[in-house]
Amino acid sequence: MGPVKDDQERIDVYGDEVVYVAVHRPTGRTLATFLPGEDEGWWRVSTRGRVRELRVRPGKPEPWREIVERVPAGQ
């Protein structure tokens, strides 16, 4: 895993199959943490103390990319 390219090129994602962390590269600030939810396709996403669930199509090869694109960097 490494930096997310395209529109999110300033965000790095670190993690494994259990938990992921999105970090704003220029400041080193953690933007979000996320992990797979109990039901397939659902992810629990925490941004600035708020937890929500996002749905990502099951079977997507790198679901963390879609989550980073959907979570606004300013949250």
Side-chain angles (χ1 to χ4, degrees), residues 8-72:
Q8 302 296 326
E9 66 184 36
R10 296 174 60 160
I11 298 173
D12 292 326
V13 177
Y14 305 96
D16 50 28
E17 300 299 316
V18 178
V19 67
Y20 297 85
V21 179
V23 178
H24 184 245
R25 186 180 310 143
T27 64
R29 192 177 87 199
T30 298
L31 301 176
T33 58
F34 44 96
L35 60 136
E38 293 180 14
D39 295 324
E40 186 178 12
W42 286 97
W43 288 75
R44 293 182 55 81
V45 181
S46 174
T47 55
R48 299 187 76 169
R50 293 183 300 217
V51 177
R52 62 181 162 172
E53 290 190 336
L54 293 177
R55 174 116 170 104
V56 177
R57 182 176 47 85
K60 198 162 182 123
E62 294 179 322
W64 55 270
R65 287 186 184 274
E66 184 173 330
I67 293 168
V68 169
E69 291 170 2
R70 292 172 57 186
V71 173

